[in-house]
Amino acid sequence: APKPAAAPKPAAAPKPAAAPKSPTAVDEFAEYTDIVPSKFKKVTAQRLVESKTTIPHYYLSVECTIDKMMVMRAMLNAKAKKGEYKLSVNDFVIKAAAAALRRVPDVNSQWMDTFIRQFHNVDISVAVQTDAGLITPIVKDADRKGLIDVSADVKALAAKARDGKLKPDEFIGGTFSISNLGMFGVKSFCAVVNPPQAAILAVGGSEIKVVPNGEDGYKTVTCMTATLSCDHRVVDGAVAAAWLKVFKECIEDPVNMLM
């Protein structure tokens, strides 16, 4: 009788896949330092991710001619007795933004899932860089304060922020934000909306430009670029454009802030 066929040999067990390299594994030639983020930095990171993944951002930019504002700033600072105050460009930016928020209140709002909340107060969060990270102390009722009071508030809040002495109500809240990187030589940038706010203004530095001047040929002007980042759920493009128009009018001629 024929011999029964030999049973097939069992297939060799597959070799286990190589374990993935640990995220902490270090290339022997690499040089770097691992930094454990602070609790404050982690919270900031979470909020930034929340903003960019849940808020439909869009951006509008406008170029402002700020020669009149610079002249007014110099005149007002010259009137300060014994250095009682020194107005900055950012103080004018805050006041111009506050005036625009008062005139175009749709931007002074927040998305609340089932409704949009429009604020009657204008509380502006101003980005301040500290050793612990970025924080946004609030200039409250900015539309109701004069330039000197706004300037004093910003200086006092920035000092407290850098010393880690801000109270929660001095940085939690706000109805609109401003981030100014002009002092670092940045021409323009797009900022991330600070949730649950609906908009943030990113301000670049000033630069001298040569522009046509009718029959007189050409002239030099001082220009500054401002970019508005918006939550499209709250602020439509036409509304944002209207807000930037008012802001431009106010920053180019600060007399418009008083009207």
Side-chain angles (χ1 to χ4, degrees):
K3 294 182 179 179
K9 294 181 179 180
K15 293 182 179 180
K21 187 177 282 189
S22 165
T24 58
V26 179
D27 186 305
E28 60 180 317
F29 299 108
E31 294 185 5
Y32 58 82
T33 301
D34 290 331
I35 300 172
V36 178
S38 64
K39 183 177 179 181
F40 179 83
K41 193 75 172 176
K42 287 181 179 178
V43 171
T44 301
Q46 290 169 355
R47 286 177 58 79
L48 289 171
V49 171
E50 173 195 350
S51 178
K52 291 297 286 184
T53 55
T54 65
I55 294 177
H57 283 62
Y58 71 97
Y59 314 93
L60 295 86
S61 295
V62 67
E63 187 172 81
C64 307
T65 302
I66 58 172
D67 295 281
K68 285 185 179 180
M69 183 271 285
M70 297 295 278
V71 169
M72 179 177 285
R73 173 178 172 246
M75 290 174 56
L76 292 173
N77 282 337
K79 292 179 179 292
K81 298 176 181 179
K82 298 181 180 180
E84 61 180 324
Y85 63 84
K86 185 176 181 180
L87 302 177
S88 69
V89 170
N90 207 45
D91 298 330
F92 282 84
V93 169
I94 293 169
K95 274 300 298 179
L101 289 168
R102 179 55 65 195
R103 296 178 202 175
V104 188
D106 286 351
V107 180
N108 197 43
S109 304
Q110 293 179 4
W111 179 259
M112 306 299 290
D113 287 331
T114 57
F115 59 91
I116 293 172
R117 174 170 292 160
Q118 188 176 112
F119 291 91
H120 302 296
N121 53 302
V122 176
D123 296 342
I124 296 184
S125 304
V126 181
V128 174
Q129 186 65 44
T130 72
D131 291 340
L134 188 67
I135 194 167
T136 51
I138 303 166
V139 178
K140 297 182 178 179
D141 296 317
D143 59 318
R144 302 177 186 176
K145 292 177 177 175
L147 282 163
I148 294 175
D149 289 336
V150 167
S151 182
D153 279 4
V154 171
K155 288 180 175 65
L157 289 165
K160 292 178 74 173
R162 294 188 180 103
D163 292 338
K165 295 181 179 179
L166 284 175
K167 298 175 182 177
D169 67 320
E170 292 177 318
F171 66 91
I172 296 175
T175 62
F176 182 87
S177 289
I178 293 174
S179 180
N180 189 338
L181 294 178
M183 65 286 292
F184 298 108
V186 175
K187 180 181 177 181
S188 65
F189 66 105
C190 298
V192 179
V193 172
N194 181 16
Q197 297 173 10
I200 180 171
L201 185 70
V203 182
S206 60
E207 60 178 342
I208 306 297
K209 287 189 174 183
V210 178
V211 299
N213 189 30
E215 295 180 356
D216 296 328
Y218 295 88
K219 65 178 180 178
T220 58
V221 296
T222 307
C223 296
M224 178 190 80
T225 300
T227 300
L228 187 67
S229 305
C230 298
D231 181 344
H232 214 323
R233 299 172 300 179
V234 181
V235 183
D236 291 333
V239 173
W243 187 93
L244 275 176
K245 182 177 183 292
V246 176
F247 172 81
K248 178 180 170 71
E249 291 171 351
C250 290
I251 201 68
E252 290 191 336
D253 187 353
V255 171
N256 290 319
M257 300 183 197
L258 308 176
M259 299 174 67

